Amino acid sequence: MSIKTANNKEFEEFLKKLSREYLLYAPVLNEKDDKVVFEPINEDNISKITLGCQADVPLKECILPYNEKLSIEENPDKKIVILGARACDIEAVRVIDDVFLDEPVDPYYQDRRDKTIIIGYSCAKMEPTCFCDTVGIDPVEHDSAQAYLYKEGEKYFLKVMDEELESLFTSLPGGNEEELAELIDNRRNGMADSNFEIDLPVPVPEAAAFAASCWEKIAEKCLGCGVCTYYCPTCYCFGFFWQDKDGEDKWRAWDSCMFSLYTKHASGHNPRNSKDKRYRQRVMHKFSYHPENYGKLACVGCGRCIKRCPVHLDIRSALKLVENELKEEGGK
Amino acid sequence: MANKIDEIREIARKLMEEETVERVIGYGKADFTEEMTPVFITSPEEVEKLLFNEKSNMMLAKYLLNYKDSKTGIVAKPCDTRAIASYLSEDMLKRDNVVIIGINDCPGMTDNTACNECEVRNPVLSDYTVGEEGEVPELKLDKTLEEMSTAERKEYFVDQFSRCMRCYACRQACYVCYCEECFVDSNQPRWVGQGTNPEDNFTYHLMRAMHMAGRCINCGACEVACPEDIDVRALTAHLSRYAEEIYNFKSGMDPQAKTLLSDYNPDDSQPGFID
């Protein structure tokens, strides 16, 4: 491990170097719609890199594109660097890895992941929709990134965890380990909690939670759109389709369990024929099925589903209602 | 606004206590944020949850279709009352099953540019009203698109729709989009491709718009719902403006009126909607 520092100018030079040698993705402010989105960085947009707020769209599109032609040749040749990933989004990549790198391995995803270096970005404050602390994530630092970036005032610190990567950072001046440790401590101590506590075992007991009667009430206001899934950093469901008649040009694109077509059988029967069943599936996948199969939650508490929901349906409210019902049942 | 909230609660309490309705749909505060969210009141004790302010920008009328066969009270902005009037003229609801608590003198909502163009500031039908009737403020009609050439307009929409993630929030929020099976959800045959190919995105928005002629009330629910802030309302709002200019028809103003497309007169002017 080594520590580097940079001022604004040195940092910009460093970014330029990265963008020349790698396919560099970073959160960029798009002026047209005022959104911060991970985009490939070049000379034109390097000045628009925005690290001060959570990206509006998660970074999953960098490793699992919305539309993807299934061919290794279509993948980028260059190594990919994703800079500015926050702890929630880094944890989310681990969740997607669980699925795509488990047997049978997805070769297109694996190829992209093998080429990917993640440089994390330390959070300094929680937004009202954030609850990563509740799901066991430290917003200040995540140890799955190969390097981590900390910004304090006009000063940048870089912690390089992966020795193979050190050459990337040689142009930057060295930093003081104790100074960085103090910064990290101060952040951890100064960060306000999300004030959301959940008293449910993990995995959430499948049979009891599935049978709970509160789902209809929870999903009453749900419009049935796909916003929560498309903005979720861990929702990875996709569908295949072919762009040609010969069946050679095979593609995949994101799909959403919030759509009725998602589970519709060829017979016309639909096992998830109402929005409460679909919403239940989404929550159960995050808090029961994925933890059961892979030993970790599939919700990283980023709060994008809450922030983007057109009717402000809040997954925290849903979990509270489930918790209350299971407690009542348990008390009987 | 505080008076309006008191009035809403008083009416809702009466409806619940007298068991006139099974539920009241209104607005309340979200549990963990300062946002407004739809609330479904089922007991007199819960009426204290009801609130109303400029952030009450969600269209509630569409929820009525989930409760067609039982009596429901609804807090309705003037645009919601227009949606209800349309549902009645399209035979989608029974008047007896809806108790409308109409909001007078609607101030216009945040994040909804349709409110700048809205000249219906009081309910078109209601059982109760809250507040005093208000005047129509000075409207801000945006004519930028009309002044563009066809090619420029196309470029504008291609650019707008290129951001579309096909989450269908616009469709789900729209009071008109109540088809049991939307054409995009059909896979035998599949009318629109999967993924977010720009042509398929364009097809989706254009085909949705074609079903809106004489039905869109320009409430802006689609715009409010869109997570990408796409100008989804522009196409449908233009269709309603043309319906008014050409046929003197304004949807959702009269529950007894025939719908634009179910009425025919040999003298009707017949310009295309798209020139």
Side-chain angles (χ1 to χ4, degrees):
Chain A
M1 188 192 78
S2 68
I3 313 254
K4 300 283 182 182
T5 61
N7 58 28
N8 279 331
K9 197 166 174 296
E10 286 162 336
F11 187 63
E12 202 181 313
E13 285 306 315
F14 169 65
L15 290 178
K16 278 185 188 158
K17 187 180 150 204
L18 280 186
S19 70
R20 279 193 300 268
E21 289 174 28
Y22 297 86
L23 172 55
L24 173 67
Y25 285 97
V28 167
L29 178 69
N30 185 338
E31 276 146 10
K32 258 190 204 163
D33 56 357
D34 208 26
K35 294 229 158 52
V36 177
V37 180
F38 281 88
E39 275 180 13
I41 301 300
N42 51 45
E43 294 278 321
D44 298 332
N45 63 1
I46 204 159
S47 61
K48 289 178 188 158
I49 292 180
T50 303
L51 297 167
C53 60
Q54 183 188 55
D56 287 290
V57 181
L59 63 79
K60 72 175 170 188
E61 177 128 33
C62 312
I63 51 166
L64 186 69
Y66 193 125
N67 307 287
E68 181 184 10
K69 186 176 174 178
L70 291 181
S71 153
I72 297 279
E73 286 80 54
E74 296 288 321
N75 279 356
D77 298 329
K78 277 184 172 178
K79 276 207 151 194
I80 303 164
V81 172
I82 303 174
L83 180 135
R86 290 172 180 239
C88 50
D89 282 350
I90 297 171
E91 178 66 17
V93 173
R94 291 183 69 221
V95 171
I96 300 182
D97 283 351
D98 282 344
V99 179
F100 285 76
L101 301 181
D102 192 9
E103 291 296 333
V105 173
D106 183 289
Y108 317 103
Y109 181 84
Q110 186 182 39
D111 178 63
R112 232 177 283 112
R113 278 296 280 128
D114 287 346
K115 291 175 182 159
T116 302
I117 297 160
I118 295 179
I119 304 180
Y121 184 79
S122 173
C123 268
K125 85 173 208 294
M126 290 238 185
E127 294 188 30
T129 43
C130 290
F131 60 101
C132 62
D133 56 342
T134 314
V135 290
I137 295 169
D138 173 10
V140 179
E141 211 173 41
H142 194 297
D143 59 12
S144 287
Q146 284 90 335
Y148 230 82
L149 180 63
Y150 311 79
K151 191 185 180 200
E152 191 69 33
E154 299 294 295
K155 191 173 181 182
Y156 294 87
F157 283 93
L158 272 149
K159 193 199 269 186
V160 188
M161 274 86 114
D162 189 327
E163 280 175 18
E164 279 178 36
L165 280 181
E166 303 237 352
S167 63
L168 255 181
F169 302 89
T170 43
S171 61
L172 296 173
N176 181 322
E177 199 171 326
E178 280 168 20
E179 201 183 336
L180 178 59
E182 197 184 324
L183 185 157
I184 292 172
D185 270 356
N186 285 344
R187 277 201 181 172
R188 284 203 180 117
N189 298 333
M191 184 95 61
D193 291 344
S194 63
N195 286 330
F196 169 60
E197 279 168 30
I198 186 83
D199 188 16
L200 277 168
V202 176
V204 167
E206 183 183 344
F210 191 90
S213 63
C214 57
W215 294 108
E216 224 169 295
K217 191 172 173 193
I218 290 169
E220 202 163 24
K221 68 176 108 171
C222 175
L223 292 181
C225 69
V227 167
C228 49
T229 54
Y230 286 169
Y231 286 85
C232 175
T234 69
C235 275
Y236 52 77
C237 284
F238 58 83
F240 290 121
F241 60 99
W242 284 260
Q243 291 286 52
D244 63 337
K245 285 197 182 112
D246 310 325
E248 299 205 341
D249 198 5
K250 190 178 180 184
W251 287 65
R252 74 171 154 210
W254 295 355
D255 201 349
S256 168
C257 60
M258 301 309 281
F259 298 146
S260 63
L261 187 62
Y262 182 87
T263 43
K264 196 170 170 188
H265 296 179
S267 67
H269 170 68
N270 193 343
R272 286 188 219 136
N273 55 358
S274 58
K275 60 184 181 178
D276 53 308
K277 292 177 189 163
R278 298 194 277 269
Y279 191 76
R280 174 179 64 190
Q281 165 62 26
R282 182 162 189 274
V283 176
M284 292 290 283
H285 189 182
K286 308 284 179 214
F287 289 88
S288 182
Y289 311 144
H290 195 92
E292 187 72 48
N293 291 331
Y294 297 103
K296 65 167 102 48
L297 283 168
C299 173
V300 296
C302 73
R304 290 188 182 94
C305 59
I306 305 167
K307 221 193 275 183
R308 291 267 162 251
C309 175
V311 293
H312 305 294
L313 173 52
D314 196 322
I315 195 166
R316 293 170 293 185
S317 307
L319 289 166
K320 274 286 159 201
L321 283 174
V322 174
E323 177 191 313
N324 291 344
E325 183 167 338
L326 294 197
K327 273 187 185 162
E328 272 173 33
E329 299 257 310
K332 266 178 205 168
Chain B
M1 213 66 98
N3 288 344
K4 276 185 181 155
I5 295 169
D6 288 341
E7 286 179 57
I8 290 170
R9 289 178 182 172
E10 199 181 318
I11 298 161
R13 186 175 294 112
K14 181 171 165 283
L15 293 176
M16 292 309 307
E17 280 174 355
E18 292 174 2
E19 296 181 12
T20 318
V21 297
E22 286 188 23
R23 66 194 71 75
V24 175
I25 308 174
Y27 301 96
K29 193 184 109 35
D31 291 343
F32 294 93
T33 63
E34 294 306 310
E35 301 295 342
M36 293 292 266
T37 187
V39 293
F40 299 76
I41 305 296
T42 50
S43 70
E45 297 76 49
E46 287 178 307
V47 300
E48 297 302 318
K49 285 186 191 169
L50 288 167
L51 288 168
F52 185 78
N53 62 29
E54 292 84 358
K55 286 160 102 180
S56 309
N57 59 11
M58 293 134 262
M59 155 67 66
L60 298 185
K62 196 173 185 185
Y63 291 115
L64 291 171
L65 299 181
N66 297 338
Y67 312 103
K68 280 185 187 178
D69 299 321
S70 56
K71 287 195 91 167
T72 302
I74 182 165
V75 176
K77 303 190 294 294
C79 51
D80 290 85
T81 66
R82 286 183 67 189
I84 296 167
S86 282
Y87 282 148
L88 295 171
S89 63
E90 292 187 358
D91 236 357
M92 291 301 293
L93 283 179
K94 292 193 189 88
R95 181 69 184 89
D96 291 346
N97 279 347
V98 190
V99 178
I100 302 166
I101 309 170
I103 306 282
N104 270 333
D105 193 19
C106 178
M109 297 289 130
T110 50
D111 301 325
N112 189 350
T113 56
C115 300
N116 300 332
E117 303 170 8
C118 175
E119 51 189 21
V120 182
R121 298 290 173 150
N122 302 305
V124 296
L125 81 160
S126 59
D127 300 288
Y128 300 88
T129 54
V130 299
E132 299 293 319
E133 285 200 9
E135 301 288 320
V136 180
E138 199 183 325
L139 302 181
K140 286 178 228 145
L141 275 180
D142 185 358
K143 294 266 184 187
T144 327
L145 279 170
E146 265 111 335
E147 283 156 13
M148 283 181 188
S149 69
T150 312
E152 285 169 334
R153 264 206 302 270
K154 187 181 173 195
E155 198 184 328
Y156 174 79
F157 282 118
V158 167
D159 178 53
Q160 287 284 318
F161 298 147
S162 69
R163 294 208 304 274
C164 176
M165 291 186 126
R166 297 269 288 282
C167 67
Y168 303 127
C170 49
R171 175 189 75 180
Q172 296 306 106
C174 177
Y175 96 92
V176 178
C177 281
Y178 57 68
C179 288
E180 274 182 28
E181 188 186 76
C182 176
F183 66 91
V184 299
D185 288 336
S186 159
N187 56 3
Q188 288 176 344
R190 193 177 270 290
W191 304 108
V192 188
Q194 285 161 282
T196 51
N197 179 313
E199 284 167 23
D200 288 320
N201 284 0
F202 208 82
T203 307
Y204 161 60
H205 287 283
L206 217 53
M207 274 176 75
R208 198 179 85 87
M210 294 316 287
H211 291 83
M212 299 288 152
R215 300 170 80 201
C216 169
I217 52 171
N218 200 14
C219 67
C222 51
E223 174 181 313
V224 171
C226 179
E228 290 289 317
D229 297 333
I230 297 166
D231 191 4
V232 267
R233 186 175 62 83
L235 281 175
T236 54
H238 275 68
L239 287 179
S240 43
R241 219 174 287 167
Y242 288 143
E244 200 172 344
E245 279 170 21
I246 301 168
Y247 300 104
N248 194 25
F249 181 87
K250 195 164 174 163
S251 49
M253 298 304 285
D254 174 5
Q256 261 82 48
K258 283 186 178 168
T259 61
L260 179 71
L261 298 179
S262 61
D263 198 12
Y264 171 72
N265 184 329
D267 302 328
D268 279 345
S269 156
Q270 299 198 26
F273 270 120
I274 295 173
D275 48 35

